[in-house]
Amino acid sequence: ENANYCVEFSDVQFAYEDRCIFDHFNCCLKHGESVALVGESGSGKSTFTKLLLRLYDVQAGDICLYGNNIKDYTIHDLRSSFGVVPQSTTIFHDTIWNNIKIACPNATDADILRAIDMAHMNDFKDSLENGWDTVVGDGSRELSGGQKQRIGIARAVLGDPKILIFDEATSALDNISEKAVQTAMESLMKDHTLIVVAHRLSTIRNVDRILVFQSGQIIEDGSYDELAQKPGGFFRQMLEG
């Protein structure tokens, strides 16, 4: 197996009931790469991440993580290789500190402070009456969308996963919040493999590679600039649309 690839889909077949999503689908992601998945709803972007986490299993073909079939890992070990930042982060009625720690209950204080730093949360600490001990959620102090998503990022990085998945993590945010999350995401690109399922194309300006999905196939693969300049290209049409 090629050790340069951290994720490899080989001849993957997958259908939901009667709707085929992937038919002989192939894709490789290199270690340390930041890759955005774009395309219309139902084109296979979310299915890609769900198969990787074994929320579903492939019907044929193989998915490998660091050269090993994902079926050879325990579900726990497989999923702890990934940190996932969802479309909206659930905030529990508790302190901000405990809202982060819940992702990894045996994390040390130093681990949590590092996650806070990596999630670029420090810039809103001063607006909190009790710093990280401020109680949030369930009718207590309201956080902005960008603040919630950065708690989501802190949770995702706390267990020190090698691969981070941002699953439309900015699609519900206003522009200011989006910028804050994008900044955190871009600084995480330096030492993680990033998979970004993107709805807003503005957030993926600086990823290494963009994969354009259409009907379960990757129809374009290149950098933002390459794809933006491709005459008649699908990504270019998405930007113009």
Side-chain angles (χ1 to χ4, degrees), residues 27-237:
C27 179
C28 295
L29 307 184
K30 286 190 192 121
H31 181 66
E33 216 176 17
S34 53
V35 181
L37 317 183
V38 304
E40 292 158 348
S41 229
S43 58
K45 310 181 300 288
S46 293
T47 306
F48 181 97
T49 61
K50 288 178 174 141
L51 289 172
L52 199 47
L53 295 165
R54 286 194 70 194
L55 296 169
Y56 302 116
D57 277 328
V58 300
Q59 279 130 6
D62 295 302
I63 300 175
C64 289
L65 183 67
Y66 301 110
N68 303 304
N69 196 304
I70 58 172
K71 292 182 175 172
D72 297 338
Y73 292 85
T74 66
I75 291 286
H76 176 268
D77 286 351
L78 176 70
R79 292 191 185 150
S80 57
S81 309
F82 296 92
V84 181
V85 183
Q87 194 165 358
S88 66
T89 294
T90 305
I91 301 295
F92 302 98
H93 183 72
D94 205 335
T95 61
I96 290 181
W97 186 267
N98 288 341
N99 260 289
I100 296 168
K101 189 169 183 168
I102 194 168
C104 198
N106 54 358
T108 64
D109 288 0
D111 292 337
I112 294 171
L113 288 169
R114 183 171 149 270
I116 283 170
D117 197 42
M118 289 169 83
H120 286 244
M121 282 177 63
N122 287 310
D123 67 355
F124 67 85
K125 185 179 184 181
D126 295 342
S127 68
L128 302 167
E129 45 278 28
N130 300 307
W132 305 132
D133 295 326
T134 304
V135 175
V136 290
D138 272 356
S140 46
R141 191 183 196 285
E142 283 306 306
L143 296 170
S144 73
Q147 290 171 339
K148 287 179 185 167
Q149 287 305 72
R150 281 180 284 170
I151 290 174
I153 294 173
R155 268 183 206 158
V157 298
L158 186 58
D160 201 21
K162 299 205 168 48
I163 303 173
L164 293 172
I165 297 174
F166 281 75
D167 194 359
E168 301 213 355
T170 63
S171 61
L173 302 181
D174 59 60
N175 289 347
I176 294 167
S177 299
E178 178 191 36
K179 281 278 180 294
V181 172
Q182 185 181 351
T183 304
M185 189 172 86
E186 289 181 355
S187 66
L188 290 166
M189 287 177 188
K190 297 183 192 91
D191 350 84
H192 294 82
T193 303
L194 241 66
I195 298 171
V196 185
V197 179
H199 183 67
R200 289 190 182 176
L201 303 181
S202 49
T203 46
I204 55 168
R205 188 76 191 74
N206 298 321
V207 298
D208 297 321
R209 249 171 101 200
I210 295 171
L211 305 178
V212 182
F213 280 69
Q214 192 179 45
S215 311
Q217 298 288 335
I218 293 169
I219 56 165
E220 289 174 7
D221 174 350
S223 71
Y224 187 100
D225 291 336
E226 283 165 4
L227 297 185
Q229 288 157 16
K230 190 175 164 193
F234 194 79
F235 183 72
R236 182 169 170 165
Q237 286 168 26

